[in-house]
Amino acid sequence: MATAGDGPWLDDAAGRLVRPFTVSNGRTRPSVALDLLSQVMATGATPLGYLGPEHAQALDLCRAPVSVAEVAAHLKLPAVVTKVLLSDLVDCGALTTKPPEFHHNPTDRSLLEAVLDGLRRQL
């Protein structure tokens, strides 16, 4: 029996009734390069053609900028499947994406020294 709000895809005893890769029609490679930290946001354009319910759920989550990882967590789908769904939405103009912005070089010596100093003060 499906739980309220979960829709017909989930069952209390059996779990997910549809395999995640069925959602992406078996595709495992997105057409757009997306990182887990990439930000996606709805453009307001109406997607042309049929999109599945997961596409609609993903698009609904992207009203404000959100990371690919967050969308995957909310949809309860593997990241690779979520990337395929999001790339479909980018391809049809319903989403825009931008790579994650890093303000600091993670191997910047001054940043690493500041972290080390902070850790030493904690001990």
Side-chain angles (χ1 to χ4, degrees), residues 27 48 76 83 96 107 111 118:
R27 294 174 292 143
L48 300 174
K76 298 178 183 170
K83 288 179 183 182
T96 185
T107 58
L111 175 63

Side-chain angles (χ1 to χ4, degrees), residues 34-104:
L34 293 170
D35 186 275
L36 285 177
L37 297 177
S38 295
Q39 298 286 305
V40 289
M41 184 174 171
T43 62
T46 304
L48 300 174
Y50 172 76
L51 295 175
E54 289 82 7
H55 286 93
Q57 290 173 343
L59 189 56
D60 190 49
L61 292 169
C62 298
R63 287 189 220 146
V66 62
S67 71
V68 171
E70 289 177 81
V71 175
H74 284 289
L75 293 178
K76 298 178 183 170
L77 288 171
V80 68
V81 173
T82 303
K83 288 179 183 182
V84 171
L85 294 176
L86 294 174
S87 71
D88 290 346
L89 292 167
V90 170
D91 290 343
C92 72
L95 282 184
T96 185
T97 182
K98 68 178 188 173
E101 293 181 15
F102 295 105
H103 300 289
H104 299 287

